[in-house]
Amino acid sequence: MSAANGVGPSPGQDADDALYERLRTYAGCPAADAAHGRDPVNAPMIRHWCEALGHPVPPDGSAPATMLQVWTMAGLARDGERASGAPTGQGGRAGPYVELLAELDGAGCTAVVATDCEQEYVRPLHPGDEITFDAVIESVSPRKRTKLGTGYFVTTRMDVRVGAALAGTHRFRILKYRPKPTGPAAGQGAHRGGARRPRPVVNRDNAGFWEGVARHQLLFQRCAACATPRFPWLPGCNTCGSSEWRAVAASGRGTVYSYVVMHHPPFPAFDPPYAVALVELDEGVRIISNVTGVRHDQVRVGMPVELEFLRVDDDLELPVFRGRA
Amino acid sequence: MAHKNGTAPGRTPPPQPREGEELPPLEIPVTRTLIVSGALASRDFQDVHHDAEAARAKGSPDLFMNILTTNGLVGSYITRWAGPHAVLRKVAIRLGAPNHPGDTMALSGRVTAVTPPGPDAPPGEGATVEVAVRGANRLGQHVTGTVTVTLREGAPE
């Protein structure tokens, strides 16, 4: 699935990733080493957090379990600490983790978002508990393209203790990425700016179809021997094998036979979420296209649609279908 | 049905959810205040969670909710359902579409597993329940995850 933002560790891996070869060597290195929480677990921070989130305050005065990570956060003080060159690193971060992040910063991956958090709670934390934590860099992903930008997923695993007793574990994944350039067109749909939709491959077998589109006709083929209609265009009939056919203009009426809504991955020139529909024409053939005039989440199987032509840019026009909801 | 961990007098018995049971949905207005106060209460000072201009410079259309707040909201959703004495064992979440100001996150959950209390369970302890949780906003799924929670009898009225 896909995250912030359309990020998720699966899609968009690149080949030829020299930086990854260096980054992967950090796997197994410490990310935090016997670090201490800035403050003991305390009632004011619990109350502020519960107020901010609208979370019920635990009746026994303990900290909500999902505050586990809060007690390990360095806060704003980490900048001052970096300036003073404190040997323990940023808020208890161990050298290798600081180096890994610096290496990513140096490669232009200056932005960060968190994508995954897995916590197990072994014992509750109470005001007065002093926590310590150790963390290890579990893995670094190869370079990934995401909707936010290209970057690397870094996974760490932390043990949080009170004295010798384990209070909980915390696995955390971040994406360190190179932010996309921004400008007046930045924000939602910014990628529509420069990119053009892919061009159709026009060849001897399908040229007639695109000539029809140019005349605002949606042409399918009908076998001259057995009269079976077919689409997309093919040299021969799937039913009887005949290579004789004639082109027929569709009436333009049809219904949505099936559809998907595209959220991720984003492609250049497309602006998710959008619906991709398999439209069944009244003549019996089916075509993959977009549904216009209705929101992506209003497209339904069986919805009647009507052919229209969408001018995508100066060189490309496409048959699409207007929903008649 | 009473079991050996039977409810003490004056206490409300732990809930007894069934596998497949849907939790009541919860809609959370994603306000700027929730995003900023949640980030700061969780000591997360990444500028993308409180500074819209900084967020835009990093390719986001606006500031967005941090993962610690999402994690807390998921925990809160389960705790409200399971009762204040229930004990969270595990919360595992993955973020998807970001929570930007002005959106609404619709939390929903479904019980995917119910494990009765073991023979050594302390008195008043109920089943341990696994819940699949989703939080949807207008961009898609903001969060998907699994929460494991042990139910407990309530305090005396």
Side-chain angles (χ1 to χ4, degrees):
Chain A
M1 69 161 263
S2 43
N5 335 351
V7 293
S10 43
Q13 182 172 337
D14 286 331
D16 182 29
D17 189 353
L19 179 59
Y20 169 62
E21 296 307 318
R22 282 209 307 284
L23 297 177
R24 65 190 295 190
T25 63
Y26 286 93
C29 293
D33 197 4
H36 291 261
R38 283 291 164 127
D39 296 289
V41 175
N42 64 85
M45 278 175 62
I46 294 172
R47 184 166 50 76
H48 289 166
W49 186 90
C50 287
E51 284 177 6
L53 273 68
H55 191 292
V57 181
D60 63 354
S62 66
T66 47
M67 280 189 79
L68 182 68
Q69 188 185 0
V70 175
W71 310 112
T72 73
M73 296 292 280
L76 274 176
R78 65 181 178 178
D79 288 331
E81 198 177 74
R82 187 192 294 150
S84 71
T88 52
Q90 302 172 30
R93 286 175 174 176
Y97 193 56
V98 177
E99 280 171 34
L100 171 63
L101 297 182
E103 188 138 15
L104 284 161
D105 284 336
C109 297
T110 52
V112 62
V113 288
T115 62
D116 295 77
C117 175
E118 296 171 23
Q119 298 182 331
E120 288 191 52
Y121 312 110
V122 178
R123 49 152 294 186
L125 292 170
H126 294 275
D129 284 346
E130 304 256 9
I131 67 117
T132 58
F133 53 99
D134 296 280
V136 64
I137 301 166
E138 271 198 344
S139 64
V140 183
S141 80
R143 185 168 60 209
K144 304 283 186 179
R145 285 187 298 270
T146 76
K147 188 173 177 181
L148 281 177
T150 297
Y152 297 82
F153 289 90
V154 178
T155 307
T156 53
R157 185 181 182 282
M158 180 184 284
D159 289 334
V160 179
R161 291 190 166 78
V162 176
L166 186 66
T169 62
H170 171 61
R171 178 179 284 113
F172 202 61
R173 184 169 299 127
I174 59 169
L175 170 68
K176 278 284 281 178
Y177 67 99
R178 175 192 292 272
K180 289 184 176 172
T182 55
Q188 307 240 355
H191 47 283
R192 268 188 300 191
R196 302 205 313 162
R197 286 230 198 172
R199 306 290 107 173
V201 177
V202 181
N203 57 33
R204 196 176 54 181
D205 291 330
N206 67 10
F209 170 77
W210 291 105
E211 288 160 13
V213 170
R215 299 194 301 270
H216 283 194
Q217 283 187 317
L218 177 55
L219 300 179
F220 62 94
Q221 292 167 291
R222 190 178 293 284
C223 177
C226 73
T228 303
R230 66 176 186 260
F231 189 90
W233 283 40
L234 290 167
C237 177
N238 267 336
T239 303
C240 72
S242 168
S243 60
E244 300 299 315
W245 53 270
R246 60 193 171 86
V248 183
S251 67
R253 285 184 297 276
T255 53
V256 174
Y257 185 81
S258 184
Y259 67 96
V260 295
V261 176
M262 264 312 279
H263 292 279
H264 187 80
F267 295 99
F270 291 84
D271 189 19
Y274 54 90
V276 179
L278 181 62
V279 171
E280 184 165 83
L281 301 178
D282 282 3
E283 291 83 359
V285 293
R286 295 176 194 154
I287 175 174
I288 292 171
S289 183
N290 292 125
V291 177
T292 57
V294 295
R295 284 158 40 111
H296 67 274
D297 56 357
Q298 291 172 337
V299 176
R300 291 291 179 271
V301 170
M303 172 181 277
V305 293
E306 183 111 32
L307 174 68
E308 66 181 17
F309 288 84
L310 174 70
R311 172 146 304 273
V312 176
D313 53 46
D314 287 347
D315 307 322
L316 184 62
E317 206 166 12
L318 292 174
V320 296
F321 291 86
R322 178 161 291 270
R324 292 190 288 148
Chain B
M1 184 190 88
H3 53 68
K4 64 179 282 290
N5 302 315
T7 305
R11 289 175 170 259
T12 51
Q16 298 188 325
R18 297 176 319 279
E19 203 176 310
E21 180 176 331
E22 299 279 346
L23 276 59
L26 177 66
E27 289 211 338
I28 295 180
V30 181
T31 62
R32 219 164 269 277
T33 302
L34 173 61
I35 295 170
V36 174
S37 63
L40 301 194
S42 53
R43 290 179 56 75
D44 184 345
F45 294 91
Q46 293 283 341
D47 53 16
V48 291
H49 305 311
H50 62 258
D51 182 339
E53 280 180 31
R56 279 192 279 273
K58 289 175 177 166
S60 176
D62 201 341
L63 52 83
F64 56 91
M65 186 177 285
N66 70 334
I67 195 167
L68 287 88
T69 299
T70 301
N71 201 48
L73 292 174
V74 167
S76 174
Y77 175 54
I78 298 301
T79 300
R80 283 167 186 279
W81 169 73
H85 299 277
V87 179
L88 289 184
R89 302 294 187 191
K90 189 175 176 186
V91 175
I93 59 167
R94 170 167 287 191
L95 294 194
N99 262 346
H100 291 300
D103 211 331
T104 300
M105 177 167 70
L107 284 166
S108 60
R110 192 168 55 85
V111 175
T112 52
V114 179
T115 308
D120 303 326
E125 184 161 306
T128 293
V129 175
E130 200 176 279
V131 182
V133 178
R134 286 173 178 276
N137 62 25
R138 65 183 173 210
L139 298 177
Q141 292 293 345
H142 168 67
V143 59
T144 52
T146 308
V147 178
T148 308
V149 58
T150 299
L151 304 174
R152 287 264 168 88
E153 66 180 10
E157 296 291 327

